[in-house]
Structure formats: C-alpha cells, structure tokens
Amino acid sequence: LLLSKDVGKHLLEVEDLLQKHGLLEADISAQTERVQALNAAALKFSELEGYQPCDPQIICNRVNHVQTCLEELGELAGKRRKELEDSRQLWAFFQEMEEAEAWIREKEKILATKTCGRDLSSVLTLTTNHKSMLGELGNRRALLHQTMKRGEQLLAKKRWSPGGIQEKIREVRLRWKKLEEVTGLHQHRLQEALNFFQFSSETDDLVAWLQDTYRIVSSDDFGHDDYSTQALLRKHRGGVEVQIRVVEVEQLYGEVVEVAVLRQQWLQDALAVYRMFGEVHACEVWVDEKEQWLERMEVPEELDEVEVVQHSTKPVPSLSVPPRVASEAAAPAEGSIPRWNRVVELVEEKKNHLSSILKIQNYLLEC
C-alpha cells in the first residue's frame, strides 16, 4: 500500500485514499508501540549474566533491524501522505477551476438573455440587479485569483506536468476576460437605456407642464375678487419666469452648438497640419538619402562606366519641390528648402562632371 503509485484521478478518489492512509498510519502507530515494547524486552535478554539462551549480539542485531524497518515504514508512510496531499491540492485546483468555468458559463447565458428594459422602472430594476451581479463578480474574482495562485504554486513544485495546469489557467483567464467585457458592455447598454428613459420621462413631464402652463395663460378666468386675481397673477408671473429661463437655455444651447462646430473645424485643421508634418518628414528623409548618395558617388574614368553612371543620374535632375511641401511646410521645416537646393546643386555638379568626362572619352575614341 505504501509503495503504490496510485494517487487518485479525481478529488473524491484522493479523499478516499487519504482516509485509508490515515487508518494505515493509525495501525502503524499502534504497532510501533508494540514493537518498541518487544525490542525493550528483547534487549533485556542481551544483558543477562550467566546463562544466555541466545547470543546477545544476535539479539541486538535483530532489534536494530526491526527498528530500522520500523523507521523506514514511517518514512514511507510520510512520503505517501505527502504525495496524496499534493494530489489533493492538484485535483482541488482543477475542481475549483471547473466550478469557476461553470459559474462563468451561467453568467454568460444570463447576460446573453438579458434585455435593457422597456421603461424607466424596468431599467432601474435591471440596473440594481446588475450592481448585485458586479458585487458577486468581484467576490468571485478574488476567489479565482487565489485558485490561480495555488495553481502557480503547484507549478513551482514541479511535481506535476505543467501543461494541464497552464492550459486550464489560460482557458479560465480568457473566459473570465470575455465575461468582464460582456458585463461592461451590458452595463454600458443599461446606462444608455437609463439615460434615454430618464430623458423621455423628463420630456413627458416638461410636455405636461407646458400643457398645464398653456391652459393657465390661455384661460379666460381673471378672478372674481381681489384675492383670486392676485393668485392668478402669481401663477402667471411664474409662467413668465419659466419662459425667460427657457429662452436662456435655448441661447446657451445655441452657443454650445457654435463652439462645437468651431472646435470640430479646429480639430480637422490640426489633423491636416500633423499629416503635413508627416509628409515633410518623409520628404526630408528622402532628400537626406539622395544627398548622401550624391556625395558618396565617384565619377569613373572609363567610357562604359561613365555611361552607366550617367544613366543612373538621369531621373535625379528632374526633381522639383512639391507645391504642397513648398507652400505648407515653410514654417515647420525651414531647413527643407535649402537642403533641397543643395541636392539640386549636387545633381547639376555631378551631371556637368559626367558630361565633361564623356566628351573627353568620346574625343579620345574618335582620335
């Protein structure tokens, strides 16, 4: 039993093996007391004087052998218990991860079937339920982190194959991330629905108030005495104050719209400027490459090589400053135009040099 390699294939089996091992350890403990008593009694025979029924050395050797076997048995029992406890930790980890996966699947189904409500009351109820779910999600997150930490500790022991543990952690982590994304998306939808229905409710209240105000201001009732007329006048003044407030709100709204349009134009202008900066930078890089190439270029003396070099420099003299860069990049890139002119000068210089050498070579060839 102590030499068995069976450490269980699931948590219940490991628990059963641990229970059996506990009984075995209790039996070993009981037998240990009996063996120690027998060893003590046997050692007394090795200390007798006179007649000795057995050689004392043989008795001592037997006692030592039994004691050694007993110690080895205890070590095997301890090793077996450690293996079973490690196995229990492993399968407990897998079971907790499977429970977490099942919980995630359940919440995914709930979120997939949830609506955003049909009115303000239903949206408020769904929002309250969602807040409760967020609290549950936070508690589950803490438990899941603890379970994953235990999985990492199992990996650190290097007792088990890391593939299964790492794969399970990766799968659950991905599913948890997806659940959080879905939860956040549902919360965003609930907030949008809440804003819409609140706005709709406030609009309905405003329409009702306007209808009531219109009924008051269009009434033919001017009172029947001083007291009733003053009451009607106070109501009318309240309506006038609200009208003034509405006008102020409309004016503020118009100003907000104007500023928003202006800011949009500013953002578009800024985007155009930064794109232009990118084009100017690309142009500067190109100019720098051509300038270095022209400075490193050596003019050969042989006719064939001169013709090859002249052919390779033909596209270069046709360079011209792009109009957009020349007009728009003047302020941010003041050094671009002088460098461009430097490249043009180098091209002309190399071209004239090549032409001179080519004429000389042709003249020598004709002679």
Side-chain angles (χ1 to χ4, degrees):
L1 293 176
L2 295 178
L3 295 176
S4 174
K5 299 298 182 181
D6 182 16
V7 291
K9 298 179 177 61
H10 51 78
L11 186 59
L12 291 178
E13 185 178 357
V14 176
E15 293 287 356
D16 183 62
L17 290 174
L18 274 170
Q19 186 176 4
K20 292 179 179 179
H21 187 74
L23 296 175
L24 183 60
E25 285 179 327
D27 188 25
I28 292 174
S29 178
Q31 294 297 327
T32 298
E33 296 178 358
R34 181 182 176 187
V35 170
Q36 289 177 349
L38 291 174
N39 287 342
L43 288 174
K44 291 181 180 180
F45 287 102
S46 65
E47 298 173 356
L48 293 176
E49 296 181 358
Y51 172 74
Q52 294 180 342
C54 184
D55 187 359
Q57 186 62 40
I58 295 176
I59 295 175
C60 291
N61 292 339
R62 286 294 182 88
V63 169
N64 291 334
H65 177 70
V66 172
Q67 186 65 30
T68 302
C69 292
L70 186 63
E71 292 175 356
E72 291 178 355
L73 190 65
E75 292 176 358
L76 287 174
K79 182 180 178 182
R80 173 68 174 168
R81 170 165 286 279
K82 187 176 184 307
E83 290 176 351
L84 290 174
E85 288 178 349
D86 289 343
S87 178
R88 179 169 60 181
Q89 291 179 358
L90 176 68
W91 292 112
F93 163 76
F94 279 115
Q95 180 169 318
E96 291 175 3
M97 295 296 277
E98 290 173 359
E99 291 175 355
E101 281 187 299
W103 186 87
I104 291 172
R105 286 193 297 269
E106 178 186 355
K107 297 305 176 183
E108 286 176 345
K109 291 180 181 179
I110 294 175
L111 290 172
T113 57
K114 273 189 174 182
T115 62
C116 294
R118 298 182 299 273
D119 50 31
L120 183 59
S121 177
S122 61
V123 172
L124 289 173
T125 302
L126 290 173
T127 302
T128 302
N129 295 338
H130 190 73
K131 288 181 179 179
S132 301
M133 180 179 172
L134 290 177
E136 188 179 356
L137 193 70
N139 296 332
R140 178 64 67 167
R141 183 188 297 110
L143 294 175
L144 184 60
H145 285 173
Q146 293 178 1
T147 303
M148 289 184 176
K149 186 176 181 180
R150 286 195 292 270
E152 293 172 355
Q153 291 174 352
L154 289 172
L155 288 174
K157 291 181 179 180
K158 298 181 180 179
R159 171 71 174 78
W160 312 99
S161 175
I165 299 175
Q166 291 176 344
E167 182 66 19
K168 179 61 67 174
I169 292 176
R170 187 186 67 83
E171 290 178 359
V172 175
R173 187 169 287 161
L174 289 176
R175 298 204 66 167
W176 183 266
K177 182 179 179 181
K178 181 180 178 182
L179 177 63
E180 288 185 333
E181 292 175 354
V182 174
T183 304
L185 180 61
H186 185 69
Q187 184 178 7
H188 179 68
R189 290 175 177 173
L190 282 176
Q191 187 61 44
E192 289 183 343
L194 181 61
N195 294 337
F196 171 76
F197 286 116
Q198 283 180 342
F199 172 77
S200 179
S201 177
E202 292 172 358
T203 303
D204 293 340
D205 294 341
L206 179 60
V207 170
W209 178 85
L210 289 174
Q211 291 175 349
D212 186 58
T213 303
Y214 179 79
R215 181 182 58 80
I216 293 174
V217 298
S218 62
S219 175
D220 295 333
D221 183 14
F222 299 101
H224 55 276
D225 54 21
D226 181 65
Y227 177 78
S228 60
T229 302
Q230 287 182 359
L232 292 173
L233 184 60
R234 284 194 296 271
K235 289 184 179 180
H236 184 76
R237 287 174 179 173
V240 172
E241 291 177 358
V242 172
Q243 289 177 355
I244 295 174
R245 184 62 176 169
V246 169
V247 171
E248 292 176 352
V249 171
E250 290 178 348
Q251 182 179 359
L252 179 60
Y253 174 76
E255 293 176 357
V256 170
V257 171
E258 291 179 0
V259 173
V261 172
L262 183 60
R263 176 169 174 77
Q264 182 178 4
Q265 183 61 44
W266 287 347
L267 290 173
Q268 290 177 350
D269 293 343
L271 180 61
V273 169
Y274 287 123
R275 285 178 176 173
M276 179 267 296
F277 285 168
E279 295 178 2
V280 171
H281 177 70
C283 182
E284 289 179 345
V285 172
W286 187 88
V287 169
D288 185 60
E289 292 177 355
K290 295 303 178 183
E291 184 178 4
Q292 293 179 7
W293 177 74
L294 289 169
E295 289 178 349
R296 291 195 306 266
M297 187 180 71
E298 296 181 359
V299 179
E301 299 295 336
E302 299 295 331
L303 179 61
D304 295 339
E305 296 179 357
V306 171
E307 291 178 349
V308 172
V309 174
Q310 187 183 35
H311 178 73
S312 65
T313 57
K314 281 184 179 180
V316 180
S318 62
L319 298 175
S320 60
V321 180
R324 182 174 180 181
V325 174
S327 60
E328 297 181 359
E334 295 179 354
S336 299
I337 303 304
R339 292 184 62 191
W340 185 277
N341 294 334
R342 170 62 179 164
V343 171
V344 174
E345 291 176 0
L346 286 173
V347 170
E348 292 297 330
E349 180 182 343
K350 296 295 182 181
K351 181 181 177 182
N352 293 334
H353 193 182
L354 286 171
S355 298
S356 300
I357 293 178
L358 187 60
K359 289 179 181 179
I360 294 173
Q361 293 293 337
N362 288 331
Y363 174 77
L364 294 175
L365 184 63
E366 291 176 358
C367 294

